[in-house]
Amino acid sequence: MQVRIAQIAAVLAASAGLGLSGCDQPAPLTEMAVVEDSSAVAAYVDGQPIYASDVIFAAEAEGAIETGDALEPDSPEFNRVLDGLIDVRLMAMEAEARGLDEDPQSRFRLQSIRENTLSNILIETVVAERVDEAAVRKMYEAQIAISELGEEARVRQIVTATKSDMDQVIAELDSGVDFAIVASQQSIDEPTRLEGGDLGYLKEDEVPPAFAQAILATATGGVSRPFETANGWRILKVEERREEAPPSLEELRGPILNYLGMIEIDKLLKQLRSESAIDRRSSASAPALRTDPFSIAPEEEDVDE
């Protein structure tokens, strides 16, 4: 039963993204026309059709398949989605039979779903029309040009359980044994031990304060003083330093698309408001729309202390 309810919930969520067609008031299910091409129909519910294309759209909306992918009519996935659509159709028809769609709040909710869905479709269409690859690249280049890039260091580490173990490690290093070899033999940090303790390139604002202080106080090619953390004693070697690499276009594509899309929708709304007769019955004014500044900062990865 829980699985069945989850399927129905998925169909309902998908249906909200697909929108409602028709005039201001959605047509009752009992008035829906039956298509002449029966091959396009996946099922009839009391004579009302559910099209094969409806199943495809629902599967795409719930993420079961990628947009444009095929879904064979005899496949288990097709029938799973179809069963969900049948269940929702049955409940919707029962709601109409009980007159629940005539309730004022129900009418508002139905109309609200329709208007919100159409608004989302308009947003997708406008953004696709006005925000192209050239605009994305232009925005990316502008952000990279004004970004302030710091320094990053390639760091290796050795972790020991106790201070006495760390003293033995330092003695080996002082005798001339390579840091990476000692790390592979003595470090208790398994994720980096077999890599010679390699942590890759780190930035000061990405690491815990103890790491940042040790890296800052250590010359390139040098080894830090040992310091204690929650997971044991550590010692770092700063292999090299370089200027921080800027985020790639693909890393920033999502934020850039959101930002440019927000600008275009704001322009569209201003245009629509200027061209429409809006008679507000309240003298209260809404706060001005606030546009958040674009941030190029990529997501940061934590380094265990």
Side-chain angles (χ1 to χ4, degrees):
M1 177 63 72
Q2 290 180 343
V3 173
R4 195 62 165 165
I5 293 174
Q7 291 178 347
I8 295 172
V11 172
L12 289 171
S15 299
L18 295 175
L20 302 172
S21 61
C23 302
D24 288 345
Q25 293 298 333
L29 295 170
T30 52
E31 296 179 9
M32 294 174 58
V34 178
V35 308
E36 296 180 1
D37 182 6
S38 60
S39 65
V41 177
Y44 287 101
V45 180
D46 284 343
Q48 304 306 319
I50 295 177
Y51 306 115
S53 58
D54 295 337
V55 179
I56 301 296
F57 293 150
E60 290 175 351
E62 70 176 65
I65 61 173
E66 296 294 327
T67 301
D69 285 355
L71 188 60
E72 294 300 323
D74 294 329
S75 67
E77 189 68 6
F78 184 96
N79 283 285
R80 180 191 67 79
V81 177
L82 175 58
D83 280 337
L85 291 175
I86 290 172
D87 290 340
V88 171
R89 176 64 60 82
L90 287 169
M91 289 190 292
M93 293 173 71
E94 176 64 16
E96 286 188 345
R98 297 186 182 194
L100 299 181
D101 57 324
E102 299 300 323
D103 178 82
Q105 186 180 50
S106 297
R107 287 182 174 275
F108 168 78
R109 290 171 62 183
L110 289 169
Q111 184 64 17
S112 179
I113 290 172
R114 180 177 186 276
E115 291 179 352
N116 277 288
T117 301
L118 287 173
S119 296
N120 288 334
I121 293 173
L122 176 63
I123 289 172
E124 294 168 3
T125 302
V126 170
V127 171
E129 291 173 348
R130 301 185 184 182
V131 180
D132 57 13
E133 184 64 18
V136 172
R137 288 187 175 275
K138 182 178 179 180
M139 183 69 178
Y140 171 75
E141 292 168 1
Q143 291 300 316
I144 294 302
I146 63 174
S147 63
E148 297 181 1
L149 300 176
E151 185 180 72
E152 57 185 10
R154 186 180 179 188
V155 179
R156 293 183 186 272
Q157 70 170 355
I158 298 174
V159 186
T160 63
T162 65
K163 179 63 166 62
S164 61
D165 290 340
M166 181 57 70
D167 290 340
Q168 294 179 17
V169 165
I170 293 173
E172 284 194 61
L173 294 174
D174 288 344
S175 69
V177 182
D178 185 75
F179 190 97
I181 293 176
V182 177
S184 66
Q185 296 174 345
Q186 303 293 334
S187 182
I188 63 172
D189 184 71
E190 289 301 323
T192 61
R193 182 177 66 82
L194 297 181
E195 301 296 329
D198 192 5
L199 288 169
Y201 285 93
L202 304 178
K203 292 181 287 186
E204 183 179 343
D205 59 354
E206 288 182 334
V207 297
F211 274 79
Q213 292 170 10
I215 294 171
L216 184 63
T218 304
T220 303
V223 177
S224 74
R225 296 171 61 89
F227 57 97
E228 188 176 13
T229 67
N231 299 325
W233 284 81
R234 296 176 188 264
I235 194 169
L236 306 179
K237 181 179 181 181
V238 179
E239 294 277 3
E240 62 176 318
R241 286 182 165 89
R242 70 182 184 185
E243 184 181 74
E244 175 189 352
S248 68
L249 173 60
E250 291 311 310
E251 288 177 299
L252 294 185
R253 182 178 296 279
I256 288 174
L257 286 172
N258 289 338
Y259 180 76
L260 294 179
M262 182 172 60
I263 291 176
E264 292 303 328
I265 295 306
D266 187 51
K267 290 180 182 177
L268 176 62
L269 283 172
K270 289 178 179 177
Q271 174 191 340
L272 294 175
R273 282 176 172 269
S274 68
E275 296 173 350
S276 302
I278 301 175
D279 182 13
R280 295 182 69 110
R281 299 306 176 96
S282 171
S283 60
S285 59
L289 293 176
R290 179 176 62 87
T291 301
D292 291 329
F294 180 78
S295 171
I296 67 168
E299 293 185 359
E300 301 176 353
E301 296 181 359
D302 294 335
V303 175
D304 293 334
E305 293 189 14

PDB file of all heavy atoms in Angstrom, residues 5 11 24 34 42 46 49 53 56 66 97 129 137 147 150 154 225-226 232 251 255 261 266 282-283 291 300:
ATOM      1  N   ILE A   5       0.803   4.290  -2.741  1.00  0.00           N
ATOM      2  CA  ILE A   5       0.593   5.700  -2.389  1.00  0.00           C
ATOM      3  C   ILE A   5       1.734   6.548  -2.909  1.00  0.00           C
ATOM      4  O   ILE A   5       1.524   7.654  -3.418  1.00  0.00           O
ATOM      5  CB  ILE A   5       0.437   5.846  -0.866  1.00  0.00           C
ATOM      6  CG1 ILE A   5      -0.868   5.183  -0.410  1.00  0.00           C
ATOM      7  CG2 ILE A   5       0.457   7.318  -0.454  1.00  0.00           C
ATOM      8  CD1 ILE A   5      -1.044   5.151   1.083  1.00  0.00           C
ATOM      9  N   VAL A  11       2.849  10.780  -9.362  1.00  0.00           N
ATOM     10  CA  VAL A  11       2.036  11.212 -10.504  1.00  0.00           C
ATOM     11  C   VAL A  11       1.432  12.576 -10.244  1.00  0.00           C
ATOM     12  O   VAL A  11       1.399  13.446 -11.123  1.00  0.00           O
ATOM     13  CB  VAL A  11       0.935  10.171 -10.806  1.00  0.00           C
ATOM     14  CG1 VAL A  11      -0.026  10.710 -11.853  1.00  0.00           C
ATOM     15  CG2 VAL A  11       1.561   8.880 -11.289  1.00  0.00           C
ATOM     16  N   ASP A  24     -10.561  29.075 -18.838  1.00  0.00           N
ATOM     17  CA  ASP A  24     -10.331  29.499 -17.467  1.00  0.00           C
ATOM     18  C   ASP A  24     -10.687  28.408 -16.480  1.00  0.00           C
ATOM     19  O   ASP A  24     -10.030  28.221 -15.477  1.00  0.00           O
ATOM     20  CB  ASP A  24     -11.127  30.769 -17.174  1.00  0.00           C
ATOM     21  CG  ASP A  24     -10.525  31.961 -17.897  1.00  0.00           C
ATOM     22  OD1 ASP A  24      -9.378  31.851 -18.362  1.00  0.00           O
ATOM     23  OD2 ASP A  24     -11.216  32.981 -17.993  1.00  0.00           O
ATOM     24  N   VAL A  34     -12.830  11.469 -26.661  1.00  0.00           N
ATOM     25  CA  VAL A  34     -12.092  10.231 -26.896  1.00  0.00           C
ATOM     26  C   VAL A  34     -11.401  10.340 -28.248  1.00  0.00           C
ATOM     27  O   VAL A  34     -12.030  10.687 -29.250  1.00  0.00           O
ATOM     28  CB  VAL A  34     -13.043   9.015 -26.880  1.00  0.00           C
ATOM     29  CG1 VAL A  34     -12.273   7.734 -27.177  1.00  0.00           C
ATOM     30  CG2 VAL A  34     -13.748   8.927 -25.537  1.00  0.00           C
ATOM     31  N   ALA A  42      -3.283   4.626 -24.111  1.00  0.00           N
ATOM     32  CA  ALA A  42      -2.685   3.585 -23.266  1.00  0.00           C
ATOM     33  C   ALA A  42      -3.739   2.875 -22.442  1.00  0.00           C
ATOM     34  O   ALA A  42      -3.583   1.701 -22.110  1.00  0.00           O
ATOM     35  CB  ALA A  42      -1.626   4.204 -22.356  1.00  0.00           C
ATOM     36  N   ASP A  46     -13.355   4.345 -17.558  1.00  0.00           N
ATOM     37  CA  ASP A  46     -14.774   4.655 -17.762  1.00  0.00           C
ATOM     38  C   ASP A  46     -14.973   5.420 -19.069  1.00  0.00           C
ATOM     39  O   ASP A  46     -15.708   6.406 -19.133  1.00  0.00           O
ATOM     40  CB  ASP A  46     -15.330   5.469 -16.579  1.00  0.00           C
ATOM     41  CG  ASP A  46     -15.575   4.594 -15.365  1.00  0.00           C
ATOM     42  OD1 ASP A  46     -15.627   3.352 -15.522  1.00  0.00           O
ATOM     43  OD2 ASP A  46     -15.714   5.157 -14.258  1.00  0.00           O
ATOM     44  N   PRO A  49      -9.901   8.546 -22.090  1.00  0.00           N
ATOM     45  CA  PRO A  49      -8.577   8.033 -22.480  1.00  0.00           C
ATOM     46  C   PRO A  49      -7.431   8.582 -21.633  1.00  0.00           C
ATOM     47  O   PRO A  49      -7.461   9.713 -21.154  1.00  0.00           O
ATOM     48  CB  PRO A  49      -8.444   8.534 -23.917  1.00  0.00           C
ATOM     49  CG  PRO A  49      -9.195   9.827 -23.919  1.00  0.00           C
ATOM     50  CD  PRO A  49     -10.377   9.620 -22.998  1.00  0.00           C
ATOM     51  N   SER A  53       1.271   9.199 -24.751  1.00  0.00           N
ATOM     52  CA  SER A  53       2.117  10.387 -24.567  1.00  0.00           C
ATOM     53  C   SER A  53       2.001  10.928 -23.140  1.00  0.00           C
ATOM     54  O   SER A  53       2.967  11.475 -22.589  1.00  0.00           O
ATOM     55  CB  SER A  53       1.731  11.476 -25.569  1.00  0.00           C
ATOM     56  OG  SER A  53       0.360  11.836 -25.421  1.00  0.00           O
ATOM     57  N   ILE A  56       4.421   9.034 -21.079  1.00  0.00           N
ATOM     58  CA  ILE A  56       5.790   9.498 -21.343  1.00  0.00           C
ATOM     59  C   ILE A  56       6.051  10.807 -20.600  1.00  0.00           C
ATOM     60  O   ILE A  56       7.082  10.974 -19.932  1.00  0.00           O
ATOM     61  CB  ILE A  56       6.034   9.688 -22.846  1.00  0.00           C
ATOM     62  CG1 ILE A  56       5.808   8.373 -23.603  1.00  0.00           C
ATOM     63  CG2 ILE A  56       7.435  10.239 -23.093  1.00  0.00           C
ATOM     64  CD1 ILE A  56       6.771   7.279 -23.245  1.00  0.00           C
ATOM     65  N   GLU A  66      14.801  10.260 -19.034  1.00  0.00           N
ATOM     66  CA  GLU A  66      15.249  11.554 -19.515  1.00  0.00           C
ATOM     67  C   GLU A  66      14.324  12.042 -20.625  1.00  0.00           C
ATOM     68  O   GLU A  66      13.719  11.240 -21.339  1.00  0.00           O
ATOM     69  CB  GLU A  66      16.683  11.460 -20.041  1.00  0.00           C
ATOM     70  CG  GLU A  66      17.717  11.114 -18.991  1.00  0.00           C
ATOM     71  CD  GLU A  66      17.873  12.203 -17.952  1.00  0.00           C
ATOM     72  OE1 GLU A  66      17.709  13.381 -18.311  1.00  0.00           O
ATOM     73  OE2 GLU A  66      18.164  11.886 -16.785  1.00  0.00           O
ATOM     74  N   ALA A  97     -17.504  13.681  -9.313  1.00  0.00           N
ATOM     75  CA  ALA A  97     -18.816  13.082  -9.062  1.00  0.00           C
ATOM     76  C   ALA A  97     -19.408  13.569  -7.744  1.00  0.00           C
ATOM     77  O   ALA A  97     -20.631  13.691  -7.598  1.00  0.00           O
ATOM     78  CB  ALA A  97     -18.703  11.549  -9.052  1.00  0.00           C
ATOM     79  N   GLU A 129      14.699  31.377 -25.188  1.00  0.00           N
ATOM     80  CA  GLU A 129      14.779  32.305 -26.320  1.00  0.00           C
ATOM     81  C   GLU A 129      15.848  33.366 -26.115  1.00  0.00           C
ATOM     82  O   GLU A 129      16.538  33.766 -27.055  1.00  0.00           O
ATOM     83  CB  GLU A 129      13.427  32.989 -26.528  1.00  0.00           C
ATOM     84  CG  GLU A 129      12.325  32.075 -27.042  1.00  0.00           C
ATOM     85  CD  GLU A 129      10.970  32.760 -27.081  1.00  0.00           C
ATOM     86  OE1 GLU A 129      10.840  33.866 -26.496  1.00  0.00           O
ATOM     87  OE2 GLU A 129      10.048  32.200 -27.692  1.00  0.00           O
ATOM     88  N   ARG A 137      28.635  32.624 -21.913  1.00  0.00           N
ATOM     89  CA  ARG A 137      30.092  32.779 -21.987  1.00  0.00           C
ATOM     90  C   ARG A 137      30.510  34.223 -21.681  1.00  0.00           C
ATOM     91  O   ARG A 137      31.532  34.454 -21.018  1.00  0.00           O
ATOM     92  CB  ARG A 137      30.592  32.375 -23.369  1.00  0.00           C
ATOM     93  CG  ARG A 137      30.534  30.870 -23.602  1.00  0.00           C
ATOM     94  CD  ARG A 137      31.179  30.459 -24.915  1.00  0.00           C
ATOM     95  NE  ARG A 137      31.214  29.012 -25.036  1.00  0.00           N
ATOM     96  CZ  ARG A 137      32.166  28.238 -24.522  1.00  0.00           C
ATOM     97  NH1 ARG A 137      33.166  28.802 -23.853  1.00  0.00           N
ATOM     98  NH2 ARG A 137      32.132  26.941 -24.665  1.00  0.00           N
ATOM     99  N   SER A 147      37.210  38.591 -10.840  1.00  0.00           N
ATOM    100  CA  SER A 147      37.369  37.743  -9.654  1.00  0.00           C
ATOM    101  C   SER A 147      38.767  37.901  -9.068  1.00  0.00           C
ATOM    102  O   SER A 147      39.743  38.131  -9.780  1.00  0.00           O
ATOM    103  CB  SER A 147      37.109  36.279 -10.011  1.00  0.00           C
ATOM    104  OG  SER A 147      38.068  35.821 -10.955  1.00  0.00           O
ATOM    105  N   GLY A 150      43.058  33.680  -5.163  1.00  0.00           N
ATOM    106  CA  GLY A 150      44.106  33.582  -4.165  1.00  0.00           C
ATOM    107  C   GLY A 150      45.165  32.568  -4.548  1.00  0.00           C
ATOM    108  O   GLY A 150      45.388  32.279  -5.723  1.00  0.00           O
ATOM    109  N   ARG A 154      49.846  22.621  -2.894  1.00  0.00           N
ATOM    110  CA  ARG A 154      49.733  21.168  -2.931  1.00  0.00           C
ATOM    111  C   ARG A 154      50.390  20.629  -1.664  1.00  0.00           C
ATOM    112  O   ARG A 154      51.567  20.921  -1.382  1.00  0.00           O
ATOM    113  CB  ARG A 154      50.401  20.580  -4.159  1.00  0.00           C
ATOM    114  CG  ARG A 154      50.167  19.084  -4.266  1.00  0.00           C
ATOM    115  CD  ARG A 154      50.827  18.477  -5.470  1.00  0.00           C
ATOM    116  NE  ARG A 154      50.582  17.037  -5.508  1.00  0.00           N
ATOM    117  CZ  ARG A 154      51.174  16.221  -6.375  1.00  0.00           C
ATOM    118  NH1 ARG A 154      52.043  16.714  -7.261  1.00  0.00           N
ATOM    119  NH2 ARG A 154      50.907  14.934  -6.341  1.00  0.00           N
ATOM    120  N   ARG A 225      55.672  22.084  11.425  1.00  0.00           N
ATOM    121  CA  ARG A 225      55.784  21.557  12.776  1.00  0.00           C
ATOM    122  C   ARG A 225      54.575  20.646  13.020  1.00  0.00           C
ATOM    123  O   ARG A 225      53.499  20.887  12.479  1.00  0.00           O
ATOM    124  CB  ARG A 225      55.789  22.701  13.794  1.00  0.00           C
ATOM    125  CG  ARG A 225      56.991  23.625  13.682  1.00  0.00           C
ATOM    126  CD  ARG A 225      56.813  24.847  14.566  1.00  0.00           C
ATOM    127  NE  ARG A 225      56.681  24.480  15.967  1.00  0.00           N
ATOM    128  CZ  ARG A 225      57.718  24.341  16.812  1.00  0.00           C
ATOM    129  NH1 ARG A 225      58.952  24.540  16.395  1.00  0.00           N
ATOM    130  NH2 ARG A 225      57.510  24.033  18.085  1.00  0.00           N
ATOM    131  N   PRO A 226      54.706  19.605  13.818  1.00  0.00           N
ATOM    132  CA  PRO A 226      53.559  18.729  14.103  1.00  0.00           C
ATOM    133  C   PRO A 226      52.498  19.469  14.906  1.00  0.00           C
ATOM    134  O   PRO A 226      52.813  20.340  15.720  1.00  0.00           O
ATOM    135  CB  PRO A 226      54.180  17.582  14.899  1.00  0.00           C
ATOM    136  CG  PRO A 226      55.414  18.159  15.499  1.00  0.00           C
ATOM    137  CD  PRO A 226      55.929  19.160  14.511  1.00  0.00           C
ATOM    138  N   GLY A 232      44.168  12.847  15.599  1.00  0.00           N
ATOM    139  CA  GLY A 232      45.555  12.459  15.827  1.00  0.00           C
ATOM    140  C   GLY A 232      46.519  13.595  15.562  1.00  0.00           C
ATOM    141  O   GLY A 232      46.120  14.755  15.379  1.00  0.00           O
ATOM    142  N   GLU A 251      31.270  24.695 -14.071  1.00  0.00           N
ATOM    143  CA  GLU A 251      30.996  24.876 -12.651  1.00  0.00           C
ATOM    144  C   GLU A 251      30.056  26.052 -12.412  1.00  0.00           C
ATOM    145  O   GLU A 251      29.262  26.051 -11.472  1.00  0.00           O
ATOM    146  CB  GLU A 251      32.297  25.088 -11.879  1.00  0.00           C
ATOM    147  CG  GLU A 251      33.163  23.848 -11.746  1.00  0.00           C
ATOM    148  CD  GLU A 251      34.464  24.138 -11.035  1.00  0.00           C
ATOM    149  OE1 GLU A 251      35.254  24.960 -11.545  1.00  0.00           O
ATOM    150  OE2 GLU A 251      34.702  23.552  -9.968  1.00  0.00           O
ATOM    151  N   PRO A 255      24.636  28.653 -11.899  1.00  0.00           N
ATOM    152  CA  PRO A 255      24.397  29.979 -11.323  1.00  0.00           C
ATOM    153  C   PRO A 255      24.224  31.067 -12.383  1.00  0.00           C
ATOM    154  O   PRO A 255      23.403  31.968 -12.219  1.00  0.00           O
ATOM    155  CB  PRO A 255      25.649  30.225 -10.472  1.00  0.00           C
ATOM    156  CG  PRO A 255      26.142  28.857 -10.128  1.00  0.00           C
ATOM    157  CD  PRO A 255      25.826  28.011 -11.315  1.00  0.00           C
ATOM    158  N   GLY A 261      18.516  34.267 -16.315  1.00  0.00           N
ATOM    159  CA  GLY A 261      17.087  33.992 -16.426  1.00  0.00           C
ATOM    160  C   GLY A 261      16.277  34.916 -15.539  1.00  0.00           C
ATOM    161  O   GLY A 261      15.216  35.414 -15.938  1.00  0.00           O
ATOM    162  N   ASP A 266      12.516  39.377 -15.020  1.00  0.00           N
ATOM    163  CA  ASP A 266      12.231  40.694 -14.439  1.00  0.00           C
ATOM    164  C   ASP A 266      11.888  41.691 -15.550  1.00  0.00           C
ATOM    165  O   ASP A 266      10.954  42.489 -15.418  1.00  0.00           O
ATOM    166  CB  ASP A 266      13.436  41.180 -13.636  1.00  0.00           C
ATOM    167  CG  ASP A 266      13.143  42.460 -12.884  1.00  0.00           C
ATOM    168  OD1 ASP A 266      12.131  42.514 -12.162  1.00  0.00           O
ATOM    169  OD2 ASP A 266      13.921  43.429 -13.012  1.00  0.00           O
ATOM    170  N   SER A 282      -5.809  48.222  -3.184  1.00  0.00           N
ATOM    171  CA  SER A 282      -5.102  48.528  -1.939  1.00  0.00           C
ATOM    172  C   SER A 282      -4.034  49.571  -2.217  1.00  0.00           C
ATOM    173  O   SER A 282      -3.389  49.555  -3.268  1.00  0.00           O
ATOM    174  CB  SER A 282      -4.456  47.265  -1.363  1.00  0.00           C
ATOM    175  OG  SER A 282      -3.614  47.584  -0.284  1.00  0.00           O
ATOM    176  N   SER A 283      -3.861  50.507  -1.281  1.00  0.00           N
ATOM    177  CA  SER A 283      -2.840  51.543  -1.451  1.00  0.00           C
ATOM    178  C   SER A 283      -1.472  51.071  -0.984  1.00  0.00           C
ATOM    179  O   SER A 283      -0.462  51.729  -1.202  1.00  0.00           O
ATOM    180  CB  SER A 283      -3.227  52.800  -0.664  1.00  0.00           C
ATOM    181  OG  SER A 283      -3.350  52.490   0.720  1.00  0.00           O
ATOM    182  N   THR A 291      17.486  41.948  -6.370  1.00  0.00           N
ATOM    183  CA  THR A 291      18.283  41.043  -7.181  1.00  0.00           C
ATOM    184  C   THR A 291      19.565  40.723  -6.448  1.00  0.00           C
ATOM    185  O   THR A 291      20.372  41.619  -6.190  1.00  0.00           O
ATOM    186  CB  THR A 291      18.614  41.682  -8.548  1.00  0.00           C
ATOM    187  OG1 THR A 291      17.392  41.987  -9.216  1.00  0.00           O
ATOM    188  CG2 THR A 291      19.428  40.728  -9.399  1.00  0.00           C
ATOM    189  N   GLU A 300      32.507  24.377  -1.730  1.00  0.00           N
ATOM    190  CA  GLU A 300      33.764  23.981  -1.139  1.00  0.00           C
ATOM    191  C   GLU A 300      33.683  22.586  -0.569  1.00  0.00           C
ATOM    192  O   GLU A 300      32.630  22.145  -0.111  1.00  0.00           O
ATOM    193  CB  GLU A 300      34.164  24.970  -0.031  1.00  0.00           C
ATOM    194  CG  GLU A 300      34.300  26.395  -0.542  1.00  0.00           C
ATOM    195  CD  GLU A 300      34.602  27.356   0.594  1.00  0.00           C
ATOM    196  OE1 GLU A 300      34.563  26.902   1.755  1.00  0.00           O
ATOM    197  OE2 GLU A 300      34.893  28.511   0.317  1.00  0.00           O
TER     198      GLU A 300
END
